[in-house]
Amino acid sequence: MSAEAKPTEVVMPFSRKKFAKKYNRSPLTLRISSTFLGLLFIVAIFQPLFYRVDPFLADLGLRLQSPSLGGAWLGTDGLGQDVFSRVIAGFRWSLGIASVGTILGGFIGITLGISAAWNRNRVRIVLSRIIDIGISFPYLIIAVTIVSVVGRGFWALGLTLGLVCWPTIARVVYAETLTLREREYVTAARLFGVTAFRSIFTHILPALRPTLQVIAAFVFADLLIAESGLSFLGLGAPLGTPTWGNMLNESRTYLATAPWMMLGPAVAIVLTIFTANLLGEGLNAREQARSTRVSQ
Amino acid sequence: MLNRRGKALWSRIIQLLILLWSVSTVLFLLLRLSGDPALILAGEGATPEIIEAIRIANGFDKPLITQYFVFIRDVINLDFGNSLVNSQPALSFVLQYLPSTLKLTFLAIVFNTIVAIPAGIWLGAKPNQRKRRVLSTIVSVAQGTPSYVIGLVLIQIFAVWLGWLPSIANTGPGAWILPTATLAFALAPNLIRVLAANVEDTTRQDYYRTAKANGANPTELLIKHSLPNALLSATSLLGAQFAFLLSGALITEFIFAWPGLGLILVQSITNLDFPTVQATVFVVACLVFFVNLVMDQVFRLADPRLRKSQL
């Protein structure tokens, strides 16, 4: 047995030079998407700086104005509110809820996936069945049902989405952990009497990190779709809240008279989801590149 | 052989029972945890006497555990209570809308197959050609586009601007086109990518190389050697994505006011009609289960490699 007993990845303290080096070595898609997603988060956090006017300011004298460079850039809606400012305000709901959901879903998924893979007996059978069942059920239908009872606030929506998105994460973590726990360094550690708990934290979790990054990006994209979908159905954020789903739903009334109402939120959703998917693919490409480098 | 298959079937049925039990229990607990269910059932503006009457009529004054057993007994008897909106038994009310949803999903799968299979094969056969790269970029953008955006754009173009197609309800073949296209769009990019990757993968297999070395021409290679394997895994994706398709149907039915399970679910949630919600989720769970079961059997017949494997 060689000196395999150290974890594959050592978590380094943050250093600017290393970060720059890592950034420059990453695939182009990863660099573009991570930068852009970072910008979107900045918009979400500091949104008042980007408003043209107050997104809640309703002026019936200005209702249904078509887009113009001098006035409302993306037009105004049925209440005379500025579509551009409302799209900006929607970033906080979408990105925020999707982040909360991904973190909670990740926590549940990782816990269940590792517990299912680490135990050999009945626990594994039961847990992997639960994961299978969870994965085979349409998550939007569960989410809609839960939301109907728990309410529609920011946290309620984030937690609901977290409670429905874990099966995919759990399945991936389960499959990956099954192979990881047979690795020599994990076996060696077990023979040396390292506890399961410690082994999971020092051997399994760090090795799972690249996979988790990829899956988190894709789950994040799915939850963006789900969050806007719930609002679109009228079951997400309270009516009148500036979220993209709500705006799309409101625009249905004015499809013939004010088609621009749809444009802003639709472009924002598609762009954000595409960026998140691109991030996932970039992370995946980086991981593949690294694993071929290692095996050579 | 038969014995093993019977065993597999049993384990699937047990899975279904666990699924139905857990879904029902979660719904039961959610309704009880969220406050006074009588208050929710009575709706806004009900007088205290009405709320009290509902509480007693539904047995909400009894201890929780008794309520739970009564609830489970009713579920076993397929009795979800009456819809609060139209007083019909919830389950039969929901079942009326099942064929409509099945029609929509079936049409979407057909549409999907017609579009995605040629596109996937074309992309996979020579993945590095420039024009095929353009298509694959379009496909990956389309993959991230939610179905409500696609539906609205389709309505805008074909119903509002061109005026060719109706955008509402299930009124005849003309009205089927937009909902079907919307729902198919949600799945097609995924299918195209998997198919392309599979076709590409078969070209690296030994049997493919052997056939090529024996002088098979490109068309023969594609049709006889690449396609069967690639299609098999693509159809297995279709089966696995059925749940996803139902989530999409929820939104599609809402956009196009298509009278199906999804629309009923959204409406009954908006009306706080919990018996109907429970019946709908129950029906969806059974539907997903049976589709998965049938797909499994189909694959066992289609793929000789699976016949020996368990489950």
Side-chain angles (χ1 to χ4, degrees), chain A residues 85-145:
Chain A
S85 306
R86 289 177 77 77
V87 168
I88 297 290
F91 274 108
R92 184 173 283 178
W93 276 86
S94 289
L95 295 182
I97 289 175
S99 306
V100 172
T102 310
I103 292 169
L104 178 64
F107 185 74
I108 302 175
I110 293 169
T111 313
L112 281 182
I114 291 183
S115 327
W118 199 265
N119 293 297
R120 282 183 186 280
N121 41 20
R122 294 236 169 116
V123 181
R124 173 187 290 181
I125 299 174
V126 171
L127 286 180
S128 61
R129 276 289 144 77
I130 291 178
I131 295 172
D132 281 349
I133 290 174
I135 234 168
S136 72
F137 205 77
Y139 70 98
L140 198 57
I141 289 180
I142 306 246
V144 161
T145 317

Side-chain angles (χ1 to χ4, degrees), chain B:
Chain B
M1 186 70 207
L2 197 85
N3 193 10
R4 191 190 283 157
R5 192 180 287 182
K7 221 167 157 186
L9 191 67
W10 268 115
S11 103
R12 294 304 291 259
I13 288 175
I14 290 171
Q15 262 186 54
L16 172 70
L17 292 179
I18 294 175
L19 172 66
L20 293 178
W21 172 73
S22 44
V23 167
S24 317
T25 307
V26 166
L27 285 175
F28 173 85
L29 287 177
L30 277 178
L31 191 57
R32 297 316 187 268
L33 283 178
S34 62
D36 189 352
L39 215 59
I40 296 177
L41 292 179
E44 278 171 45
T47 58
E49 293 85 54
I50 295 180
I51 295 174
E52 195 53 41
I54 288 176
R55 184 171 292 141
I56 291 170
N58 288 292
F60 294 144
D61 47 347
K62 298 199 180 77
L64 200 62
I65 192 80
T66 326
Q67 287 185 43
Y68 181 67
F69 281 117
V70 171
F71 171 77
I72 290 294
R73 190 196 65 203
D74 287 348
V75 169
I76 290 171
N77 293 329
L78 295 179
D79 174 15
F80 293 90
N82 291 344
S83 160
L84 301 176
V85 175
N86 55 22
S87 311
Q88 284 185 43
L91 188 64
S92 60
F93 174 66
V94 168
L95 283 177
Q96 287 167 22
Y97 292 94
L98 180 62
S100 180
T101 294
L102 286 181
K103 184 161 82 183
L104 181 65
T105 42
F106 177 74
L107 285 173
I109 289 175
V110 172
F111 194 95
N112 218 327
T113 325
I114 296 173
V115 175
I117 288 183
I121 293 168
W122 189 68
L123 272 183
K126 284 201 184 87
N128 290 323
Q129 233 177 30
R130 180 166 290 174
K131 56 183 177 189
R132 305 191 188 199
R133 277 215 162 128
V134 173
L135 181 66
S136 70
T137 315
I138 296 175
V139 169
S140 46
V141 178
Q143 193 175 21
T145 311
S147 48
Y148 37 89
V149 172
I150 291 163
L152 288 179
V153 170
L154 288 178
I155 291 182
Q156 187 70 56
I157 295 175
F158 291 102
V160 178
W161 287 345
L162 297 173
W164 289 350
L165 297 166
S167 65
I168 267 199
N170 176 5
T171 48
W176 298 351
I177 297 176
L178 288 184
T180 309
T182 305
L183 189 52
F185 225 116
L187 197 54
N190 218 338
L191 191 61
I192 292 176
R193 295 187 76 175
V194 170
L195 203 56
N198 285 338
V199 170
E200 203 189 326
D201 187 56
T202 53
T203 61
R204 283 193 293 264
Q205 300 289 325
D206 286 343
Y207 65 81
Y208 185 91
R209 217 167 35 220
T210 313
K212 200 173 175 183
N214 281 339
N217 63 20
T219 329
E220 195 185 335
L221 273 176
L222 189 67
I223 292 174
K224 263 179 78 178
H225 301 283
S226 275
L227 267 190
N229 272 317
L231 280 182
L232 204 62
S233 27
T235 8
S236 87
L237 176 83
L238 263 186
Q241 292 282 1
F242 186 74
F244 180 77
L245 206 60
L246 282 180
S247 287
L250 184 71
I251 285 181
T252 311
E253 287 175 6
F254 177 76
I255 302 178
F256 292 97
W258 179 281
L261 292 180
L263 194 63
I264 289 303
L265 185 63
V266 174
Q267 281 174 357
S268 51
I269 285 174
T270 319
N271 298 333
L272 295 175
D273 181 359
F274 282 96
T276 315
V277 174
Q278 281 167 352
T280 316
V281 174
F282 190 87
V283 170
V284 167
C286 292
L287 185 62
V288 169
F289 171 79
F290 282 111
V291 168
N292 285 343
L293 189 69
V294 170
M295 289 308 258
D296 274 5
Q297 298 303 319
V298 170
F299 290 122
R300 208 182 303 272
L301 293 177
D303 189 346
R305 288 170 300 186
L306 280 179
R307 266 175 227 155
K308 281 187 193 141
S309 69
Q310 233 181 346
L311 254 181

